[in-house]
Amino acid sequence: PGCLQGLPMDPSRDLERLAPKFVECIEESHAKVVVAALEALNECIKLCAYAFDSHMERIMPCLFMRLQDQKDAVRNLSSDVLHEVSVHYSADILLAGLIRALEANKQPKSKMSILEYSTASMGRSSTAGIPTASSMHLKQWLSRVTSLLVDKNGDLRKRASEALEAVYCDVDAHTVVAFAHHSTGAEGMALKRLLASLQEQQQQQQ
């Protein structure tokens, strides 16, 4: 796009300074401002993704919020940007943003979209890959998602189960088992039941 043609060869510093402005504009009440911000952010991530490494924690919650917007253009652009995020960033960066997004988005529908995104975006065969060994973000993610196993919304409980199953099967089974071992209360029991079911299925397939 013409607005990007005048940027220097390494525009990362300039783009990094713009990150808070992107967040501000995506949270704007005026749809035209939101659309323009999402379009620009999409192009900037393609151009120089690493400039926003440290800002994904603030940007991703806004994107998931806009996935529930009333306007098709905003929803579609938010989805496009989230796709670029999954392509250009590591699992550790995604997890940091997903944790913040779960905390910030209170509606069950938003939480479900976050869980679905995590399942689709992380894993051994995905571009984002898997988190680094002993990732604190992964343990925090397990804690947030496990708490949803006892949510009053049945659909949200199901999505949480699917997200935890994805981590167990395709990310880091050892970390999930260790986390479950130290989990207590109703959510801890729910996680242990889920793992027992998954392990039984694995044994039957052998």
Side-chain angles (χ1 to χ4, degrees):
C3 62
L4 300 177
Q5 289 176 359
L7 289 173
M9 290 299 292
D10 182 8
S12 59
R13 289 184 180 179
D14 292 328
L15 291 177
E16 186 173 3
R17 284 195 287 267
L18 284 174
K21 192 66 178 177
F22 275 120
V23 172
E24 181 183 329
C25 290
I26 293 170
E27 292 178 338
E28 253 282 349
S29 58
H30 298 288
K32 288 183 179 179
V33 174
V34 177
V35 167
L38 290 169
E39 288 176 341
L41 179 59
N42 204 35
E43 295 302 323
C44 288
I45 289 174
K46 292 177 184 177
L47 175 74
C48 191
Y50 64 87
F52 300 104
D53 281 359
S54 62
H55 297 279
M56 278 298 126
E57 283 187 67
R58 292 191 62 202
I59 292 172
M60 288 180 69
C62 302
L63 296 175
F64 283 107
M65 176 188 70
R66 287 301 179 185
L67 276 184
Q68 312 306 323
D69 198 271
Q70 294 181 345
K71 294 189 177 295
D72 288 343
V74 173
R75 291 197 304 271
N76 292 338
L77 280 167
S78 298
S79 180
D80 290 346
V81 177
L82 282 167
H83 171 72
E84 292 301 326
V85 169
S86 72
V87 169
H88 289 92
Y89 295 98
S90 69
D92 286 301
I93 291 175
L94 291 186
L95 277 174
L98 289 166
I99 291 165
R100 286 285 294 272
L102 265 187
E103 293 170 349
N105 287 270
K106 304 302 183 184
Q107 295 299 319
K109 193 172 181 181
S110 291
K111 290 182 183 292
M112 284 187 272
S113 68
I114 294 164
L115 294 170
E116 289 167 1
Y117 180 87
S118 75
T119 301
S121 301
M122 289 186 297
R124 300 183 191 283
S125 60
S126 71
T127 307
I130 61 175
T132 53
S134 302
S135 167
M136 285 305 300
H137 284 139
L138 180 56
K139 293 171 185 175
Q140 291 170 8
W141 177 246
L142 291 173
S143 177
R144 298 294 190 281
V145 180
T146 297
S147 70
L148 299 177
L149 291 176
V150 293
D151 192 88
K152 62 183 180 181
N153 186 299
D155 289 336
L156 185 52
R157 292 198 303 272
K158 182 180 178 182
R159 294 293 183 277
S161 295
E162 292 168 351
L164 290 166
E165 179 179 350
V167 175
Y168 176 79
C169 294
D170 201 33
V171 176
D172 188 342
H174 176 75
T175 297
V176 180
V177 172
F179 178 82
H181 181 71
H182 294 96
S183 296
T184 59
E187 59 194 52
M189 290 297 296
L191 178 57
K192 287 169 181 146
R193 285 195 299 270
L194 173 63
L195 291 183
S197 175
L198 293 174
Q199 290 163 351
E200 183 180 350
Q201 291 174 24
Q202 288 178 333
Q203 290 173 355
Q204 290 174 352
Q205 292 169 1
Q206 291 176 355

